[in-house]
Amino acid sequence: MSDKYTPKPEHKFTFGLWTVGNTGHDAFGGDVRPKLSPAELVYLLGEVGAYGVNFHDNDLIPIDATPGERAAILKAFKKALSDTGVVVPMATTNLFADPIFKDGAFTSNDAKVRAYTLQKTMNAMDLGAEFGAEVYVFWGGREGIESDATKDPVESLKRFREALNFLCDYSIDQGYSYKFALEAKPNEPRGDMYLPTTGAYLGFIATLDHPEMVGVNPEVAHEHMAGLNFLHAVAQAYEAGKLFHIDLNDQNYARFDQDWRFGAQNLKQAFYLVKFLEDVGYEGSRHYDAHAYRTEDYQGVKDFALGCMRTYLIMKEKAEQFKQDAEIQALIAEINADDGSMDTFKGAYSADKAAALKAHSFDRVAIASRGLKYEKLDQMVNELILGVS
Ligand code: GCO
Ligand code: MN
Ligand code: MN
């Protein structure tokens, strides 16, 4: 494999402890790989050239750890970080695994569960801040229903809003520099999850007390599960100034959340996504929320992690080629050509402009008769991705 695509810390590639640490268990079978400690996973990430590692509170410190166990884990983890130079840009809370969250966390009907959720999240925020994390992800793993008889959807939104407002104030009060990134998923593990898409979250954020602190963490697989165009979700978030984080992975549409290696399935979508992130100068982590196939040992896990990052870098190079390709650029210029004849109608409304526009006569048939050359353009992009142009 060519060195040109060797991942380096400056590329800002990050992985969750739960991703390279995934031991292969699924609904049909148990672990196929031994469990590695958080410190061992940091060394693995350092070896493959990752920039950062992210964690849920309980990926690092098991929920029932004794103070002694906690101290030993933290010591080994800190040593691994300093030995490898791997950093912690993001942290999050596990609000889905423990049975207490079986009917949700922030949206549970039980006030005790909701209060415990706030307590657990504050503790997890303290833990993330200890490692310098600046992005705090909220994925509502159990925030949903199987039956709409069980929870009031409006009440659930109010509960979730109140909790986020509380936690924004907690972050401010502690002097943390967190930005919150909300992650949507349409279903799994719940039958239906509240706020199922990135777009739904963008609407919700505007209703919070500190909307400036809160953005989104879109995930490829989650928008694909909903049958949506991931690039469009990312673009809307970016345009709103809300793309605080991103979960990269891959899978086909209409499946469960498969969390495959970035680019494993939809190379063309991967190309447009990388092109977008690079074109706009997205500055956040390129975070992989994915895991190796169940067929793999830890060499396979490294192959998986390297594959995620190499495909990104290859697509980044292709995006640059797209910009430099004279034929593609000429075609795009031709498609977007504007003879200036509509300039007087552009921009903000005025009564004069509206009157002039209503009086203008358009040659509808002539305008519609122009072929747009999109077939040609799309094939040129295919050939660029396939490496024959
Ligand atoms: C999933 C989610 C999670 C979250 C993670 C970070 O489908 O399980 O994508 O992996 O991203 O909990 O908040
Ligand atoms: Mn996911
Ligand atoms: Mn995710």
Side-chain angles (χ1 to χ4, degrees), residues 156-208:
S156 295
L157 289 175
K158 288 188 195 305
R159 287 172 177 165
F160 193 27
R161 179 182 301 117
E162 191 179 284
L164 284 171
N165 288 340
F166 183 101
L167 293 166
C168 280
D169 280 328
Y170 177 72
S171 184
I172 293 166
D173 220 17
Q174 299 302 305
Y176 294 156
S177 47
Y178 278 131
K179 293 201 287 182
F180 289 0
L182 312 183
E183 178 177 349
K185 187 175 184 181
N187 58 276
E188 197 205 10
R190 299 312 299 265
D192 285 287
M193 262 124 91
Y194 295 128
L195 297 156
T197 62
T198 298
Y201 264 124
L202 289 171
F204 181 67
I205 288 167
T207 71
L208 300 175

Side-chain angles (χ1 to χ4, degrees), residues 183 185 219 221-222 249 257 259 289:
E183 178 177 349
K185 187 175 184 181
E219 172 168 321
H222 297 180
N249 54 21
D257 190 20
D259 290 335
D289 188 6

Side-chain angles (χ1 to χ4, degrees), residues 18 56 90 92-94 96 137-139 183 185 188-189 217 219 222 247 249 257 259 287 289:
W18 69 96
H56 301 87
M90 178 272 261
T92 182
T93 330
N94 186 324
F96 44 89
V137 165
F138 290 81
W139 173 60
E183 178 177 349
K185 187 175 184 181
E188 197 205 10
N217 178 37
E219 172 168 321
H222 297 180
D247 275 5
N249 54 21
D257 190 20
D259 290 335
H287 175 242
D289 188 6

Side-chain angles (χ1 to χ4, degrees), residues 241-267:
K242 294 295 183 194
L243 188 63
F244 290 0
H245 202 256
I246 193 163
D247 275 5
L248 302 172
N249 54 21
D250 204 7
Q251 70 173 68
N252 249 338
Y253 290 81
R255 307 284 167 104
F256 64 95
D257 190 20
Q258 292 173 306
D259 290 335
W260 285 352
R261 190 180 76 255
F262 183 61
Q265 192 76 48
N266 296 295
L267 286 171

